[in-house]
Amino acid sequence: MDIASRPAEPEQNLQTADAAPAPQAPPVIRREDYLPPAWLVPEIALDFALGLDATTVVSKLSVRRNPDGNGTPTLRLNGDQLAPVAVHVDGEAVNDWRMDGPDLLIELAGEAHEVSVETALVPSGNSQLMGLYASNGMLCTQCEAEGFRRITFFPDRPDVLSTYSVRMAGDRAVFPILLANGNCTAQGESEDGTHWAEWHDPWPKPSYLFALVAGELIANHATFTTMSGRKVDLNVWVRPGDEGRTQHAVDSLIASMKWDEETFGREYDLDLFNIVAVSDFNMGAMENKGLNVFNTRYVLADPDTATDADYDAVEGVIGHEYFHNWSGNRITCRDWFQLSLKEGFTVLRDQLFSADMGSEPVKRIEDVRILRIAQFPEDSGPLAHPIRPDSYQEISNFYTATVYNKGAEVIRMMRTMAGEERFRKGTDLYFERHDGTAATCEDFVTAIEDGAGLDLSQFRLWYSQAGTPQVSVALQQEGARLVLTLRQAVPTTPGQPEKQPMPIPLRVALFDRATGTHGGETLIVLTKAEDRFVFENAPADPVLSINRGFSAPVAIEMLRPDADLVFLAAHDDDPFARYEAMQSLVVQHLVAAVGGGLDEGARAQGREAIGAAFGAIVTDPALDDLMRGELMLLPAESYLAEQLLVSDPGAIHAEREGLKAWLGKALAADLEALHDRVSAVPYGREAAARGARKVKTQALVYIAAGNPAEGARRGLAQYQGAQSMTDRQGALMVLASLDCPEREEALADFLARYEGNALVIDKWFSLQAGSLHPRVLAHIKTLSAHPEFRMSNPNRVRALYMAAAMNPVAFHDPGGEGYRMIGDLIRRLDPINPQTAARFVPSLGRWRRVEPQRAALMRAELERIAAEANLSRDVREQVTKSLG
Ligand code: BES
Ligand code: ZN
């Protein structure tokens, strides 16, 4: 690898002249303290002299006193590790500015002024990847949430909207392409080998949506004609050599633009839409106005290097960032407590989009699985917070599964209660009422209420109360009537000891055991702590199907006879409910087994019931393979742990693996026949071929669990015959967990075959770190010293260590080695990239829910981190709350 393409070295950040030492207890920012800005900035002009090692920025702000502000003459411009090189007010150099910590304060006498500040940046020394930084030889920016203040001094808050004009100049050889938000208004050459470009964005926007990119890039260009007939130029920009892997991104963008017109009536509002892929990026992607910046991971895809899941992720993230153009950019957030206003709503929009592009039930099942794996543990742990938090220390820590995924579920409930058409009236009213402004979650709910004609007064509790409601269910025959009794309890969470009942919309159906049908689904809304729902014409002794489609993000508590679950898994006409019945059947069994509540007879009986249902799924000719693939998944270990107050991760793992192996043995013939059938399907992007690939690896997983030698044989054959990354990665995943020569052969081949392709090398790291191999911890240690491992690249760090932290065998090693490994990582990564480091803390933060010996080791690791002197605000907040 050449030196120029190496990302910034981590050691130090050279941006600052006078960085203040990080305080031990960062201040708490509270939602109730919101005040409108004292000064507005209707216009800003930025002038960049670009260089990888040195960039200067001159910003000119037209500032105006806010009539709704507090009238202070002090203009506070936020900074972060910046020192002003020069300050001018109304064209005159001034010296009477002062610093307040990182912020620049200037006293202004009049109502309106022009303030100009010059700053000097070192992009190649910016390892945090916030603000302006160098990645792979190019320059790019990331400003959300508070990165703009690392570029220039500015009131860096989302309720200050400005019109941006940007000029940039730089070496033409290093930066042939110069991009910013909006439209390019002028460009030219200078004699000294530099060139320049001017960009103007007509739409006022908050600073977090500013973006600039400069470097050697190639575009896949396309056009889109909007519903009112305007032509829009589209570009997906990548590094030379990657252009052959951009077509799916372009297609996804076009599909998103069309879908938002048809589904939400939203039309694009500029003549140009640029997407740039960068290889060093903290998050997935960013919705900067007219210039989205993406992690390469969510842009590049071709059959040889991207799995079907990667294709879906590209489509979903492109949709998500595009949809922000209305839900986020045209209407932005008043303050960061309102984050779910844009993120929750936009996640719902991307979920609906992906459902429309593919299989709706499969998408729903996937989204619920993510919620249960990522959000339920958050809601029941020390970092629990409402979808609209009340306070934070570091806002980066609040881009959570709660704000995003539960936020989407809360809006989805409104849609379920209103129905699609009335919900659309609500969103239309929201876009009309608040276009061009910085709004609140309250504004959103009121618009849906007014537009859809719902009373959401009690429903607002979903925005303020944390915790996953537990709903217990009882069904009783009372003469001719059937009575459904529901009770809800919202668990206590940090800072919220008392909870009120919330409206919980539940789609229910009562099945007739004899016919396998029901007389129609009803939507009931549980609003009280306890309520009874009477059904007059129910079949005798019916089977209840409840929370169909996962109509509410709650935990249903109901111990059910295996026979009822087997019945629903076979007969329910709601595909989600079928999946759910299968999951419950396995959850009930494994939870009982882990708790020691099953003797050998009961364990055998439980396995037989599961085996019968599972066998029907494996062989049912009426099931499509995409759905079969979902139904064959066992509940995740983290979701099983959620069912228990305190759990032993070793016992959960052993029981779950035991069941997997038992199923593999008991159904060996059916699984091998399935693996043979789908292995004969040729590669294609259509649903049937994708389904075939999905069950191919699923079947292989069970075959290998039941018979490792057969698994190794079939695994190597699948690897060697693979026509796609889906098959190749699936085979390698299975082989990586086996202790066999085929494992080493395939791993070595994979590394050699994909040398130089960073995203695929990420997979190579991640598959090994996620493996169930008995020596996985030693493998991870070796990988951390591999020449291809780099602490400065978030994708690589996540590939190795997030896979390790999610791997129960590695992370929950009884000796505590896994906890130590993640603790060490956090302490080493924090000075380089605090945002990414902080994302690893929650895994250790679950200690209260783990058996005492491991809990003590996890806690000790958190304490070791807490003892560090110069922790970032990001890690400090997460560690302090986790120790709580
Ligand atoms: N606005 C976010 C990106 C972001 C997140 C910026 C956190 C700063 C801090 C973007 O719209 C987003 O949500 N991206 C997601 C992917 C999305 C499909 C959920 C991400 O980056 O993970
Ligand atoms: Zn988003």
Side-chain angles (χ1 to χ4, degrees):
M1 158 187 298
D2 64 319
I3 297 293
S5 71
R6 255 177 204 278
E9 275 309 313
E11 281 78 81
Q12 76 192 122
N13 192 319
L14 302 172
Q15 279 203 307
T16 177
D18 58 347
Q24 282 297 295
V28 175
I29 321 287
R30 288 178 207 286
R31 183 163 60 87
E32 64 193 16
D33 292 344
Y34 173 82
L35 288 174
W39 290 85
L40 302 176
V41 188
E43 279 172 42
I44 172 171
L46 290 163
D47 193 343
F48 290 84
L50 300 172
L52 292 171
D53 298 321
T55 289
T56 59
V57 187
V58 177
S59 77
K60 277 197 178 66
L61 319 181
S62 74
V63 302
R64 180 156 42 78
R65 208 183 282 267
N66 183 3
D68 298 326
N70 66 359
T72 174
T74 308
L75 174 69
R76 175 179 292 269
L77 301 176
N78 303 117
D80 180 2
Q81 305 194 9
L82 290 181
V85 176
V87 179
H88 290 76
V89 173
D90 300 324
E92 304 278 316
V94 297
N95 297 316
D96 59 344
W97 51 269
R98 61 189 198 281
M99 298 298 290
D100 178 24
D103 296 346
L104 172 63
L105 306 187
I106 305 171
E107 300 299 319
L108 297 174
E111 287 297 304
H113 296 274
E114 188 189 273
V115 173
S116 169
V117 184
E118 183 179 338
T119 49
L121 311 177
V122 184
S124 59
N126 181 351
S127 64
Q128 291 186 32
L129 314 184
M130 285 296 282
L132 180 74
Y133 65 93
S135 170
N136 206 358
M138 59 197 249
L139 285 176
C140 65
T141 55
Q142 169 57 37
C143 293
E144 189 179 3
E146 298 181 335
F148 192 69
R149 63 183 67 182
R150 292 167 56 80
I151 296 174
T152 189
F153 289 101
F154 195 79
D156 192 12
R157 42 187 288 169
D159 57 350
V160 173
L161 306 188
S162 319
T163 306
Y164 282 67
S165 301
V166 176
R167 183 193 154 88
M168 64 187 109
D171 185 341
R172 190 185 182 113
V174 184
F175 309 114
I177 301 294
L178 302 172
L179 305 172
N181 315 87
N183 304 306
C184 184
T185 47
Q187 49 189 319
E189 310 268 337
S190 310
E191 278 98 68
D192 57 352
T194 63
H195 69 152
W196 56 270
E198 288 176 3
W199 289 78
H200 180 75
D201 180 358
W203 298 101
K205 64 171 174 284
S207 51
Y208 81 86
L209 290 173
F210 166 78
L212 173 154
V213 174
E216 190 182 354
L217 294 159
I218 295 190
N220 184 342
H221 175 259
T223 60
F224 178 79
T225 304
T226 70
M227 60 195 202
S228 70
R230 276 187 314 99
K231 194 180 134 219
V232 181
D233 281 303
L234 314 176
N235 295 300
V236 173
W237 297 94
V238 296
R239 298 309 309 253
D242 286 339
E243 59 274 21
R245 295 190 282 154
T246 53
Q247 195 54 42
H248 179 58
V250 170
D251 295 343
S252 300
L253 175 59
I254 292 170
S256 307
M257 296 178 86
K258 194 158 161 29
W259 184 89
D260 212 15
E261 292 184 346
E262 288 169 355
T263 315
F264 282 92
R266 300 294 113 201
E267 186 179 6
Y268 187 60
D269 56 3
L270 285 167
D271 303 328
L272 177 62
F273 191 86
N274 283 315
I275 289 177
V276 183
V278 303
S279 44
D280 300 279
F281 201 69
N282 282 341
M283 303 295 295
M286 178 64 209
E287 70 265 26
N288 316 300
K289 185 81 188 189
L291 177 53
N292 288 3
V293 176
F294 271 60
N295 191 319
T296 44
R297 215 190 138 140
Y298 296 113
V299 173
L300 303 179
D302 70 11
D304 185 46
T305 60
T307 62
D308 295 334
D310 293 334
Y311 270 82
D312 288 348
V314 168
E315 181 182 80
V317 179
I318 295 235
H320 178 98
E321 306 311 337
Y322 174 73
F323 302 144
H324 270 314
N325 190 57
W326 275 94
S327 49
N329 301 0
R330 288 289 288 255
I331 305 180
T332 191
C333 300
R334 186 193 71 172
D335 55 65
W336 290 119
F337 297 103
Q338 319 298 328
L339 183 58
S340 203
L341 175 74
K342 76 176 177 82
E343 294 301 348
F345 187 29
T346 305
V347 169
L348 175 67
R349 278 151 57 67
D350 83 52
Q351 289 177 348
L352 298 174
F353 166 64
S354 295
D356 283 350
M357 296 296 113
S359 157
E360 181 183 322
V362 168
K363 176 63 178 158
R364 187 64 188 135
I365 291 170
E366 286 170 357
D367 289 337
V368 174
R369 189 170 39 244
I370 293 168
L371 189 81
R372 283 174 168 163
I373 293 175
Q375 199 277 326
F376 278 23
E378 199 165 88
D379 236 354
S380 67
L383 300 169
H385 52 276
I387 65 169
R388 181 189 54 208
D390 294 313
S391 67
Y392 62 77
Q393 293 170 25
E394 169 51 59
I395 186 57
S396 296
N397 288 332
F398 284 80
Y399 288 76
T400 59
T402 297
V403 166
Y404 274 65
N405 303 64
K406 186 177 181 179
E409 292 297 327
V410 168
I411 300 174
R412 188 186 283 264
M413 284 191 283
M414 299 185 212
R415 180 172 177 267
T416 300
M417 292 187 296
E420 247 174 78
E421 266 177 46
R422 282 164 57 207
F423 180 71
R424 169 67 195 270
K425 291 207 166 76
T427 58
D428 281 354
L429 182 61
Y430 169 68
F431 287 123
E432 187 191 315
R433 236 185 222 174
H434 300 287
D435 187 15
T437 70
T440 62
C441 295
E442 177 54 32
D443 292 332
F444 181 84
V445 176
T446 305
I448 301 295
E449 209 166 32
D450 295 349
L454 287 174
D455 175 359
L456 296 171
S457 34
Q458 186 193 4
F459 189 85
R460 284 168 168 78
L461 285 166
W462 280 100
Y463 280 86
S464 57
Q465 293 193 152
T468 306
Q470 318 281 306
V471 177
S472 63
V473 181
L475 203 56
Q476 279 152 342
Q477 198 72 43
E478 289 184 2
R481 309 171 350 150
L482 187 79
V483 179
L484 175 65
T485 306
L486 300 177
R487 282 189 199 86
Q488 64 164 301
V490 187
T492 62
T493 49
Q496 295 190 334
E498 308 275 322
K499 300 287 166 90
Q500 288 166 253
M502 306 201 276
I504 298 176
L506 294 166
R507 289 167 45 195
V508 299
L510 294 164
F511 277 85
D512 186 328
R513 285 172 201 273
T515 63
T517 60
H518 62 83
E521 180 186 282
T522 46
L523 178 70
I524 59 179
V525 184
L526 173 65
T527 56
K528 305 179 194 158
E530 175 174 343
D531 210 350
R532 286 158 48 93
F533 299 85
V534 176
F535 296 83
E536 300 287 351
N537 298 312
D541 185 28
V543 183
L544 172 69
S545 173
I546 190 165
N547 205 17
R548 311 179 93 217
F550 203 70
S551 56
V554 302
I556 300 287
E557 293 182 341
M558 180 172 44
L559 254 192
R560 319 190 61 162
D562 283 356
D564 285 12
L565 294 170
V566 171
F567 173 93
L568 291 173
H571 296 293
D572 205 313
D573 58 329
D574 175 40
F576 176 81
R578 253 186 109 168
Y579 160 85
E580 185 72 337
M582 190 66 209
Q583 293 288 298
S584 305
L585 186 66
V586 179
V587 167
Q588 272 187 202
H589 170 76
L590 290 178
V591 165
V594 167
L598 292 185
D599 59 28
E600 278 315 305
R603 174 184 270 111
Q605 229 177 29
R607 283 180 171 178
E608 289 298 335
I610 292 168
F614 194 86
I617 287 162
V618 169
T619 53
D620 184 352
L623 263 183
D624 74 81
D625 282 329
L626 278 174
M627 191 63 176
R628 193 188 321 279
E630 292 300 328
L631 294 173
M632 286 173 70
L633 274 173
L634 294 183
E637 287 172 40
S638 65
Y639 181 59
L640 291 165
E642 266 307 291
Q643 316 299 314
L644 298 153
L645 212 53
V646 170
S647 66
D648 175 346
I652 291 179
H653 181 71
E655 279 298 342
R656 187 175 177 280
E657 286 305 304
L659 177 62
K660 228 165 90 182
W662 185 87
L663 288 169
K665 284 198 193 84
L667 297 165
D670 288 340
L671 287 162
E672 287 175 20
L674 177 62
H675 192 248
D676 290 339
R677 170 176 70 79
V678 292
S679 295
V681 179
Y683 183 83
R685 298 283 327 136
E686 73 279 10
R690 294 165 49 112
R693 291 191 288 275
K694 187 162 161 184
V695 295
K696 193 183 304 175
T697 292
Q698 286 286 354
L700 185 62
V701 164
Y702 288 97
I703 293 169
N707 179 351
E710 181 63 12
R713 198 186 66 70
R714 282 179 180 261
L716 192 63
Q718 179 175 321
Y719 180 88
Q720 287 170 339
Q723 295 176 23
S724 67
M725 180 53 80
T726 306
D727 286 351
R728 199 180 292 286
Q729 178 183 297
L732 192 58
M733 175 188 78
V734 171
L735 290 172
S737 292
L738 298 173
D739 205 356
C740 63
E742 289 89 339
R743 172 186 203 272
E744 310 315 318
E745 184 185 337
L747 281 171
D749 176 83
F750 193 90
L751 182 62
R753 184 184 287 257
Y754 295 106
E755 192 192 334
N757 186 321
L759 294 176
V760 184
I761 301 304
D762 287 341
K763 294 177 186 297
W764 185 79
F765 275 89
S766 167
L767 287 171
Q768 294 177 75
S771 97
L772 307 181
H773 193 282
R775 288 188 300 285
V776 60
L777 275 169
H779 296 160
I780 296 169
K781 202 175 240 160
T782 307
L783 287 169
S784 71
H786 193 280
E788 289 292 322
F789 182 76
R790 278 181 294 109
M791 209 54 140
S792 55
N793 177 256
N795 283 3
R796 194 55 52 84
V797 170
R798 281 188 289 256
L800 181 61
Y801 285 108
M802 205 42 104
M806 297 295 131
N807 179 349
V809 181
F811 185 66
H812 287 299
D813 167 70
E817 217 187 301
Y819 309 142
R820 172 58 54 100
M821 173 183 75
I822 296 302
D824 284 347
L825 167 73
I826 293 167
R827 292 181 309 130
R828 277 182 57 209
L829 186 57
D830 192 37
I832 301 168
N833 186 332
Q835 241 182 61
T836 304
R839 297 242 158 210
F840 286 89
V841 178
S843 57
L844 290 167
R846 306 276 312 144
W847 61 274
R848 279 184 196 77
R849 302 287 300 274
V850 174
E851 54 83 14
Q853 279 191 341
R854 286 184 175 88
L857 294 165
M858 293 168 84
R859 208 192 132 90
E861 214 45 63
L862 286 168
E863 273 160 357
R864 242 160 50 86
I865 301 168
E868 289 286 322
N870 289 312
L871 280 186
S872 67
R873 211 167 358 138
D874 310 57
V875 169
R876 174 74 59 199
E877 176 176 33
Q878 299 301 72
V879 168
T880 309
K881 287 181 174 170
S882 298
L883 283 167

